[in-house]
Amino acid sequence: MTAPSTFGLSNEARNLHWLLTNLVEEVPGIMSVAVVSSDGLMLLSSDPGRNAEAAAVAGTARPTGPKGSSADLATVVSGIGSLTIGAAKLMDSGGVKQTMVAMEQGSLFVMSISDGSLLGVHGAPDCDMSVVAYHMALFVGRAGHVLTPELRSELRQSIEDASIGSPQ
């Protein structure tokens, strides 16, 4: 995976980018990842388009995630998160910790980070779900305490700046 530019970001933001990159590169079967704020905005992404470029350069056939942009994964993660939070309230079952959707050609995992932020992972059909969930929990444990309002604002701004500078 080609890491997104972290030039000009705070140490905390660079550390979160590093954690996300490690999650994607180190856990077999993870195709793409998105971190979404409580209001549905993407904060971090593994950028599946870059994964495809890296695989082409390396000569590998690693799957690249969902069709469409990384913003599509963020939208799905936000929607599923909202739906499960509503279901938990309706059923008076407390907070949602994790949601998993098993599909014929892959899996989708959504895990709460902090104050409504979510971690979403699109996994390959043959991924080991327990390994993916374990590594997601590690990411949440490491990222949750540093994902302050100031850091979320910085990450949103870096996404906006990157989208302005990239061709549409």
Side-chain angles (χ1 to χ4, degrees), residues 4-53:
S5 173
T6 58
F7 179 76
L9 294 179
S10 66
N11 284 337
E12 292 84 4
R14 285 195 306 274
N15 286 342
L16 282 177
H17 278 278
W18 180 82
L19 284 172
L20 184 94
T21 300
N22 279 349
L23 179 65
V24 174
E25 290 180 350
E26 300 297 322
V27 181
I30 289 183
M31 298 193 310
S32 60
V33 179
V35 175
V36 182
S37 68
S38 60
D39 54 1
L41 297 175
M42 184 170 47
L43 300 175
L44 288 171
S45 172
S46 63
D47 194 1
R50 288 189 180 172
N51 289 345
E53 292 169 12

Side-chain angles (χ1 to χ4, degrees), residues 1 3-4 51-52 62 74 82 95 113 128 139 154-155:
M1 178 177 133
N51 289 345
R62 180 178 175 159
S82 179
I113 298 177
D128 184 329
F139 179 94
E154 178 184 359
L155 292 168

Side-chain angles (χ1 to χ4, degrees), residues 3 27 30 34 41 46-47 59 72 74 80 94 101 121-122 132 160-161 164 166:
V27 181
I30 289 183
L41 297 175
S46 63
D47 194 1
D72 293 340
I80 287 176
V101 179
V121 171
H122 179 206
V132 172
E160 289 173 16
D161 293 347
I164 290 171
S166 67

Side-chain angles (χ1 to χ4, degrees), residues 15-161:
N15 286 342
L16 282 177
H17 278 278
W18 180 82
L19 284 172
L20 184 94
T21 300
N22 279 349
L23 179 65
V24 174
E25 290 180 350
E26 300 297 322
V27 181
I30 289 183
M31 298 193 310
S32 60
V33 179
V35 175
V36 182
S37 68
S38 60
D39 54 1
L41 297 175
M42 184 170 47
L43 300 175
L44 288 171
S45 172
S46 63
D47 194 1
R50 288 189 180 172
N51 289 345
E53 292 169 12
V57 169
T60 63
R62 180 178 175 159
T64 61
K67 296 175 184 170
S69 69
S70 54
D72 293 340
L73 177 59
T75 300
V76 170
V77 167
S78 180
I80 287 176
S82 179
L83 180 65
T84 56
I85 289 168
K89 285 180 183 176
L90 179 69
M91 296 174 190
D92 198 25
S93 297
V96 177
K97 295 180 181 179
Q98 180 177 354
T99 304
M100 204 279 297
V101 179
M103 301 167 280
E104 289 180 13
Q105 297 300 314
S107 299
L108 176 65
F109 305 84
V110 180
M111 189 175 284
S112 298
I113 298 177
S114 63
D115 69 336
S117 297
L118 301 167
L119 170 64
V121 171
H122 179 206
D126 60 347
C127 73
D128 184 329
M129 292 181 208
S130 61
V131 170
V132 172
Y134 171 76
H135 284 278
M136 287 177 70
L138 289 178
F139 179 94
V140 166
R142 293 173 181 151
H145 68 283
V146 297
L147 203 51
T148 62
E150 295 81 16
L151 183 56
R152 285 192 306 274
S153 178
E154 178 184 359
L155 292 168
R156 279 188 203 138
Q157 188 62 49
S158 71
I159 294 269
E160 289 173 16
D161 293 347

